[in-house]
């Protein structure tokens, strides 16, 4: 069992959901340990190892790509030796569970260090922590002082084999495509490797889907309670929302899962654990939502009352949540928002649990792809199209090659189209349709 305080990774879905189960950064005796699904790394703490930490509270620039840009760092934590040389570092939002749900830099400074558990971890390790807000501060390691440093990342969304397969297949296809276009030759030695490469990419994606499903089934955390939402009948109360949204109270974590498949793991143990369950009422006394707060009454997540407890079974769901929270050591309070400000006053995880529209729900719930997003899918589709077109135009000098190329192109197109069509049809015909009226029974599952 991982000792506390342990840092938990930012939320993930699809292949990235494995991170939530496996990735942790924690202290084991006199060593700082990084554990991910791919590796385990140990760094000594104290003389001869990590003797100080520097939090560079400076935002990083957004990175450009095809499609929306990748948001830059919220700041990084540097782990240095006594001479100021950098031994290891990490982007702090990698270890903030609710980072994907918050606007960039909406949490910063000491509050960010406390929420992630970095402050508690370094205190337990006896490592002094310095906060700087200038990238040119002399305590920040740069240049030669960064050489050989290890990044303590949470692990990627996609496994290394998938990246390697896609890169090799993409390179082979692009080279063959370029030669065919500029030479006009449809030689089997060009067209056949291009067709194989075009087939490998969607085949690898299908293998990733199946492998991800099998690996996630192996994880079996102890669940004390599983509370599902009981929304009032109306817009947003879809089959998908009721099926895929849930709150799990586990032995060491409280997990919020939403309709896009993403899970947010918040600690129930350790010095940075959740401490309070707060029911918020308006001035008329009607409940408007529930807040989950950590040390110092810091807001970590919210549960709007309407989507979670507004239906006929909502009262029973709320009773189950109260009991589970009490068993997990959370104290229960109530409060009334001050002033006329909307609730919640600040951006918070869970404030918008319902997708904006069925179309948005279908988009966010698709299986995770590469950072290139739709551009990558479009290239794969074009590659399959060119395989079929080239196969139909090839000369008869190699009679077996043309049918093979056409079959590979057709199979590649099928491997891309079938998962997409299945997702669209299942969503439109069932998941994104209004759910039946909430039954008059508990929408919870109690652990055996």
């Amino acid at each position: 069992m991982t000792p506390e305080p342990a840092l938990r990774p930012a939320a993930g879905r699809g292949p990235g959901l494995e991170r939530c189960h496996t990735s942790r950064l924690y202290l084991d005796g006199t060593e700082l340990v990084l554990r991910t699904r791919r590796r385990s790394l140990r760094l000594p703490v104290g003389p001869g190892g990590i003797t100080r930490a520097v939090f560079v509270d400076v935002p990083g620039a957004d990175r450009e790509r095809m499609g929306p840009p990748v948001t830059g760092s919220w700041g990084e934590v540097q782990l240095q030796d006594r001479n100021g040389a950098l031994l290891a570092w990490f982007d702090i939002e990698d270890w903030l569970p609710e980072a994907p749900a918050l606007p960039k830099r909406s949490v910063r400074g000491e509050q960010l260090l406390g929420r992630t558990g970095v402050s508690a971890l370094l205190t337990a390790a006896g490592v002094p922590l310095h906060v700087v807000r200038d990238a040119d501060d002399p305590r920040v390691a740069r240049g030669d002082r960064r050489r050989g440093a290890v990044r303590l990342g949470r692990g990627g969304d996609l496994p290394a084999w998938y990246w390697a397969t896609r890169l090799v297949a993409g390179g082979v296809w692009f080279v063959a495509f370029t030669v065919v276009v500029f030479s006009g030759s449809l030689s089997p030695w060009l067209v056949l490797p291009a067709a194989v490469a075009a087939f490998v990419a969607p085949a690898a994606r299908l293998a990733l889907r199946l492998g991800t499903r099998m690996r996630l089934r192996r994880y079996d955390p102890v669940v004390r309670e599983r509370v599902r939402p009981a929304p009032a009948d109306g817009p947003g109360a879809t089959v998908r929302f009721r099926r895929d949204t849930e709150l799990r109270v586990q032995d060491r974590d409280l997990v919020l899962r939403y309709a896009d498949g993403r899970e947010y793991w918040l600690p129930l143990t350790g010095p940075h654990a959740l401490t309070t369950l707060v029911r918020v009422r308006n001035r008329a006394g009607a409940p408007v939502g529930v807040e989950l707060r950590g040390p110092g009454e810091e807001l970590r997540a919210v549960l709007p009352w309407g989507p979670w407890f507004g239906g006929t079974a909502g009262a029973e769901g709320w009773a189950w949540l109260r009991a589970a929270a009490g068993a997990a050591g959370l104290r229960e309070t109530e409060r009334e928002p001050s002033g006329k400000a909307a609730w919640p006053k600040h951006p918070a995880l869970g404030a918008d649990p319902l997708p904006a529209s069925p179309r948005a729900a279908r988009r966010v719930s698709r299986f995770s792809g590469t950072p290139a997003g739709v551009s990558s899918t479009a290239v794969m589709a074009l590659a399959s199209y060119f395989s079929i077109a080239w196969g139909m135009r090839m000369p008869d000098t190699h009679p077996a090659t043309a049918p093979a190329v056409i079959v590979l192109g057709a199979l590649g197109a099928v491997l891309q189209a079938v998962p997409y069509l299945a997702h669209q049809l299942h969503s439109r015909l069932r998941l994104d349709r209004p759910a039946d009226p909430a039954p008059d029974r508990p929408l919870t599952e109690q652990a055996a």
Side-chain angles (χ1 to χ4, degrees), residues 180-261:
V180 169
V181 169
F182 283 97
S183 69
S185 170
L186 290 176
S187 167
W189 308 111
L190 290 173
V191 176
L192 187 58
V196 171
F199 169 77
V200 164
R205 178 178 288 183
L206 181 61
L208 177 64
R209 285 174 176 265
L210 297 176
T212 297
R213 181 172 296 183
M214 293 175 62
R215 284 192 298 273
L216 288 176
R217 285 179 176 174
R218 292 202 300 263
Y219 297 115
D220 188 25
V222 177
V223 179
R224 297 175 182 172
E225 301 290 347
R226 192 186 305 267
V227 181
R228 298 190 184 276
D233 299 331
T238 61
V239 173
R240 184 195 304 278
F241 177 70
R242 287 185 172 169
R243 187 196 71 169
D244 295 343
T245 304
E246 68 176 13
L247 184 149
R248 299 199 305 269
V249 181
Q250 302 179 175
D251 267 0
R252 298 163 62 87
D253 304 271
L254 184 144
V255 181
L256 280 168
R257 177 184 173 88
Y258 288 105
D260 61 357

Side-chain angles (χ1 to χ4, degrees), residues 201-210 213 240 362 365-368 377 380 410-427 431:
R205 178 178 288 183
L206 181 61
L208 177 64
R209 285 174 176 265
L210 297 176
R213 181 172 296 183
R240 184 195 304 278
R362 290 190 291 273
S365 61
R366 286 200 303 260
F367 186 79
S368 303
T377 302
M380 286 197 301
L411 287 176
V414 168
L415 291 182
Q416 295 172 71
V418 169
Y420 175 80
L421 291 176
H423 172 72
Q424 290 289 321
L425 289 174
H426 190 211
S427 296
L431 297 183

Side-chain angles (χ1 to χ4, degrees), residues 95 133 201:
W95 300 101
R133 293 180 171 85

Side-chain angles (χ1 to χ4, degrees), residues 27 32 44-46 49-54 78-80 118-119 121-130:
L27 183 70
L32 192 66
V45 177
I50 299 169
T51 58
R52 75 173 186 180
V54 178
Q78 298 187 352
L79 304 175
Q80 304 173 0
V118 171
S119 295
L121 179 64
L122 294 176
T123 298
V127 176
L129 173 63
H130 308 277

Side-chain angles (χ1 to χ4, degrees), residues 84-385:
L86 188 64
L87 301 178
W89 64 278
F90 56 87
D91 286 333
I92 197 164
E93 74 271 21
D94 278 0
W95 300 101
L96 176 63
E98 61 265 43
L102 299 178
K104 180 182 175 183
R105 301 282 291 173
S106 58
V107 183
R108 62 183 67 188
E110 287 76 4
Q111 186 185 44
L112 183 56
L113 293 169
R115 182 178 291 203
T116 55
V118 171
S119 295
L121 179 64
L122 294 176
T123 298
V127 176
L129 173 63
H130 308 277
V131 179
V132 301
R133 293 180 171 85
D134 184 353
D136 295 325
D137 189 286
R139 287 171 290 190
V140 178
R142 296 183 299 275
D144 291 342
R145 291 167 61 194
R146 294 187 67 101
R147 189 171 299 167
V150 178
R151 179 176 180 181
L152 303 179
R154 60 190 177 179
D157 287 344
L158 304 173
W161 70 263
Y162 182 72
W163 280 114
T165 302
R166 291 291 300 269
L167 287 172
V168 171
V172 170
W173 185 85
F174 182 77
V175 170
F177 173 79
T178 302
V179 174
V180 169
V181 169
F182 283 97
S183 69
S185 170
L186 290 176
S187 167
W189 308 111
L190 290 173
V191 176
L192 187 58
V196 171
F199 169 77
V200 164
R205 178 178 288 183
L206 181 61
L208 177 64
R209 285 174 176 265
L210 297 176
T212 297
R213 181 172 296 183
M214 293 175 62
R215 284 192 298 273
L216 288 176
R217 285 179 176 174
R218 292 202 300 263
Y219 297 115
D220 188 25
V222 177
V223 179
R224 297 175 182 172
E225 301 290 347
R226 192 186 305 267
V227 181
R228 298 190 184 276
D233 299 331
T238 61
V239 173
R240 184 195 304 278
F241 177 70
R242 287 185 172 169
R243 187 196 71 169
D244 295 343
T245 304
E246 68 176 13
L247 184 149
R248 299 199 305 269
V249 181
Q250 302 179 175
D251 267 0
R252 298 163 62 87
D253 304 271
L254 184 144
V255 181
L256 280 168
R257 177 184 173 88
Y258 288 105
D260 61 357
R262 186 171 279 130
E263 292 188 359
Y264 300 82
W265 287 48
L266 305 177
L268 287 174
T269 57
H272 62 305
L274 297 175
T275 59
T276 313
L277 181 72
V278 184
R279 179 160 61 171
V280 182
R281 296 180 179 272
N282 60 22
R283 293 185 176 182
V288 295
V290 177
E291 297 175 344
L292 294 164
R293 293 184 173 268
E297 295 303 304
E298 183 179 32
L299 183 64
R300 296 298 302 270
V302 298
L303 307 174
W305 195 266
W308 277 94
F309 309 109
T312 56
E316 191 159 6
W318 168 239
W320 280 96
L321 177 58
R322 291 175 60 196
L330 275 67
R331 64 187 180 90
E332 183 185 341
T333 65
E334 291 193 358
R335 76 175 186 89
E336 179 183 309
S338 59
K340 298 182 179 179
W343 178 88
K345 186 176 181 180
H346 302 291
L349 166 63
D352 298 307
L354 295 171
S357 64
R359 182 178 181 182
R362 290 190 291 273
R363 184 183 69 252
V364 300
S365 61
R366 286 200 303 260
F367 186 79
S368 303
T370 66
V374 176
S375 302
S376 175
T377 302
V379 170
M380 286 197 301
L382 284 173
S384 296
Y385 164 77

